[in-house]
Amino acid sequence: MGWLNLRSLRNLFANRSTTRLLGMTERQFQEWVDLHRLYLALAYYDGRDDVHAEEDPTETLTEEAASKSVEELRSSVMDLARRQVEDMMADEKCSRGACSVRVDLSGIDGAGDGVWLDGVAQVGQVVALFPGLIYGPKQVRDIPGYPSFGSQSDFLMSRFDGYMIDSRAWMFHMDGNMEGYNAMRKRTVRSQEDAASQNGTQNFSEESLTNTWAVGHMVNHPTRDGSPNIMPVPVNWTTCDHRLDACLPWALFSSGNTLKGLAFVAKRHIEDEELFVDYRLNPGVMGGVPEWYHHVDQSEDVRRWS
């Protein structure tokens, strides 16, 4: 649906939301734009059964978004996404919409594997989870390879709140070799809690290995003539149901009660297609971005990492 691009946000600059932009940093402004995109998509999906086919929900959803503060918008987005993740964990067959995801050879020459969606996903539907070990803002230096991740940078994703998810840990976990992952860490961890995690006492559950939605780390960046059809959404998860908790493909680097993960949500109607997400790599990262990488929107990348 075309209303998920910036065109659907233009009216927000003409109403009371404009005053909320005053004093924003470039980074905060980009988060505001991303949150509105996510809210439009997730709220559309959440209310899809209440909307007649001939009705365009754009105006109503835009007004709802405009009435919320940034904090309220962020909370609404994460709540909508979390509810979908709960459904995914409770129903492996995805009865919410006849779809599934699989890892298979990408349609991009030389890219190796990618993620394909079989069936139909609607705008705003969560279609994959980005698995990995979660590092807090003060633990980023403990990520193996820091500060230059080089060719492995596409296996990490960062949230606006500074939490980073390293999916390399998930891949080592699936191979039964977390010791190999921890051995890549260049610096000594700074606390006993972190040391306990590094030594493997706080790792992924065995049940999480069967999570068929934990394929987000295999999704490719689009080609220069392509465009992303999914976008990342933050998901905060505290204890809900032990059976559901055990299926989640996230683990904390150190102790804590809340998993701060990432999921991928459909930007548009998707049917039997390969999934693509904008990696939005930091253009100023030490060592530079990989040679194959190109900016989907360089101005957004710069704002995101300013």
Side-chain angles (χ1 to χ4, degrees):
M1 296 185 67
W3 51 271
L4 284 180
N5 55 34
L6 279 174
R7 177 176 58 84
S8 61
L9 300 178
R10 289 175 182 166
N11 289 339
L12 293 175
F13 292 95
N15 59 28
R16 60 184 177 276
S17 288
T18 304
T19 60
R20 296 188 181 132
L21 302 181
L22 299 178
M24 279 190 180
T25 65
E26 291 289 296
R27 179 185 176 91
Q28 290 170 337
F29 173 73
Q30 189 57 52
E31 182 184 16
W32 179 84
V33 171
D34 288 356
L35 286 171
H36 277 84
R37 287 174 174 155
L38 286 165
Y39 183 80
L40 292 176
L42 291 162
Y44 171 82
Y45 183 79
D46 187 62
R48 66 197 181 284
D49 294 333
D50 300 325
V51 178
H52 298 297
E54 65 276 9
E55 293 182 348
D56 182 356
T58 305
E59 184 175 350
T60 298
L61 294 178
T62 300
E63 290 177 353
E64 289 178 5
S67 69
K68 298 177 181 289
S69 66
V70 174
E71 292 75 17
E72 291 170 337
L73 198 59
R74 187 185 299 115
S75 177
S76 294
V77 163
M78 288 197 288
D79 181 60
L80 289 166
R82 181 199 160 92
R83 295 210 303 257
Q84 284 199 53
V85 172
E86 286 184 14
D87 290 345
M88 294 168 76
M89 297 303 96
D91 185 359
E92 282 289 309
K93 295 182 179 180
C94 190
S95 61
R96 303 170 301 113
C99 71
S100 61
V101 288
R102 58 183 168 85
V103 176
D104 208 338
L105 186 65
S106 174
I108 301 177
D109 291 338
D113 287 336
V115 176
W116 294 78
L117 183 136
D118 294 325
V120 176
Q122 300 181 50
V123 171
Q125 183 172 346
V126 174
V127 296
L129 305 178
F130 188 85
L133 191 62
I134 301 169
Y135 291 82
K138 296 181 180 180
Q139 300 165 341
V140 172
R141 293 176 180 268
D142 295 316
I143 301 176
Y146 178 89
S148 177
F149 302 109
S151 61
Q152 296 184 334
S153 58
D154 49 319
F155 289 112
L156 295 93
M157 291 202 89
S158 175
R159 300 182 4 155
F160 271 99
D161 57 11
Y163 282 81
M164 290 192 70
I165 304 172
D166 188 352
S167 67
R168 296 172 301 171
W170 172 257
M171 293 186 285
F172 273 89
H173 161 61
M174 294 190 72
D175 291 337
N177 185 26
M178 279 300 290
E179 291 81 6
Y181 170 78
N182 289 320
M184 297 191 301
R185 191 169 286 112
K186 293 181 178 179
R187 60 176 270 157
T188 302
V189 291
R190 294 163 295 171
S191 68
Q192 291 183 348
E193 288 183 347
D194 290 349
S197 180
Q198 181 180 0
N199 291 328
T201 58
Q202 295 186 56
N203 289 326
F204 306 92
S205 69
E206 290 304 311
E207 293 91 336
S208 66
L209 286 170
T210 64
N211 190 325
T212 58
W213 302 105
V215 295
H217 61 302
M218 298 299 294
V219 174
N220 283 317
H221 187 74
T223 60
R224 292 183 183 279
D225 58 352
S227 60
N229 51 15
I230 59 176
M231 52 187 169
V233 58
V235 178
N236 286 359
W237 188 281
T238 51
T239 301
C240 173
D241 177 283
H242 178 69
R243 181 175 58 88
L244 302 185
D245 297 344
C247 293
L248 292 170
W250 300 312
L252 294 169
F253 174 65
S254 61
S255 60
N257 298 318
T258 302
L259 295 172
K260 294 180 178 288
L262 281 171
F264 289 152
V265 60
K267 294 182 67 175
R268 59 169 175 78
H269 176 93
I270 304 173
E271 184 171 357
D272 296 326
E273 300 175 43
E274 183 173 359
L275 300 178
F276 297 103
V277 67
D278 182 0
Y279 286 179
R280 200 182 266 177
L281 299 183
N282 185 351
V285 69
M286 181 178 294
V289 298
E291 291 184 4
W292 53 262
Y293 181 77
H294 71 93
H295 298 283
V296 173
D297 187 319
Q298 188 166 3
S299 62
E300 291 197 353
D301 291 359
V302 171
R303 286 197 298 266
R304 165 65 178 87
W305 294 103
S306 63

